[in-house]
Amino acid sequence: MSESGGAPIPGETSLIAAAVLASQGKLRIELVIALAATAAIVGDNIGYLIGRKGGRWLLKRPGAFQRQRRDVLRIGEPFFEAHGPKAVFFGRFVLGLRVWASWLAGATRMRWPSFLVWNALGGISWATAIGLIAYYLGHSAGSAIEAFGLYGLAAVLLALLSGFLAHRRHVRHKREAAQPGEHPARPGDSTDD
């Protein structure tokens, strides 16, 4: 719940540890999954509320990274309008995005009933899938899930970096196309022609 609400606490690691304990007979897997799903749903709704009440103010306020923060809303609002349910559902499975999906959904004013349904489905699916995988694989599940989580994070970061670089390139080409005949001087170019 704390991780989903925004605190830097390893929620997935806790679920894996509890499921492994359940595989050893120290806990009941049904209760582990139910508790993890409930905590994920409640935590995400807290994150949504934080984003809804203060996220826009935080993203719009003057200061460092003002343009980038405003871009989050400029890009995020149409994104959540078109893909909000998918982002909320699948965000539950991606390390790092787990926290930000609920905050961004609130800040971009995603409708709460839609958020609630897709968040609940994502939380239940996540707790069930990760809990059962860890339960059936026992001790080796921790390493496998952590590795998948790190690869997922690496893939998301690579995709974000690629998107950022493609956007910069597109903006540069658009700017150059708008000013035909004018090309920025490069070091070593002669202007005495």
Side-chain angles (χ1 to χ4, degrees):
M1 184 175 84
S2 297
E3 176 193 42
S4 297
I9 295 175
E12 190 167 73
T13 304
S14 300
L15 171 57
I16 292 168
V20 169
L21 287 173
S23 74
Q24 298 170 352
K26 296 177 182 174
L27 297 172
R28 293 186 52 209
I29 191 63
E30 303 86 10
L31 294 176
V32 168
I33 290 171
L35 182 60
T38 301
I41 294 165
V42 170
D44 278 339
N45 277 278
I46 291 169
Y48 175 89
L49 186 62
I50 290 169
R52 185 77 181 218
K53 296 294 182 185
R56 292 184 81 77
W57 173 82
L58 185 63
L59 292 170
K60 286 183 167 184
R61 72 180 181 82
F65 304 107
Q66 181 176 350
R67 185 178 56 82
Q68 292 86 349
R69 286 185 283 112
R70 290 182 184 215
D71 282 349
V72 169
L73 285 178
R74 184 182 57 77
I75 295 167
E77 285 178 329
F79 176 82
F80 269 90
E81 183 68 33
H83 306 289
K86 290 179 274 191
V88 169
F89 180 86
F90 290 113
R92 165 61 39 202
F93 291 89
V94 179
L95 181 67
L97 189 57
R98 207 176 342 246
V99 173
W100 294 106
S102 61
W103 285 41
L104 289 173
T108 59
R109 308 260 191 236
M110 180 179 178
R111 291 181 46 248
W112 182 75
S114 178
F115 172 82
L116 180 63
V117 168
W118 289 102
N119 170 51
L121 290 172
I124 292 166
S125 299
W126 169 79
T128 303
I130 301 300
L132 289 178
I133 289 170
Y135 179 77
Y136 286 116
L137 295 180
H139 293 291
S140 63
S143 300
I145 299 299
E146 285 179 13
F148 177 74
L150 291 176
Y151 289 127
L153 176 61
V156 167
L157 291 175
L158 183 60
L160 288 173
L161 179 62
S162 298
F164 173 74
L165 293 174
H167 174 72
R168 283 188 53 194
R169 185 175 175 193
H170 173 74
V171 168
R172 187 181 70 225
H173 287 297
K174 194 174 177 181
R175 207 177 295 139
E176 287 174 359
Q179 300 172 348
E182 289 184 31
H183 297 287
R186 292 184 202 130
D189 283 353
S190 175
T191 58
D192 297 332
D193 292 332

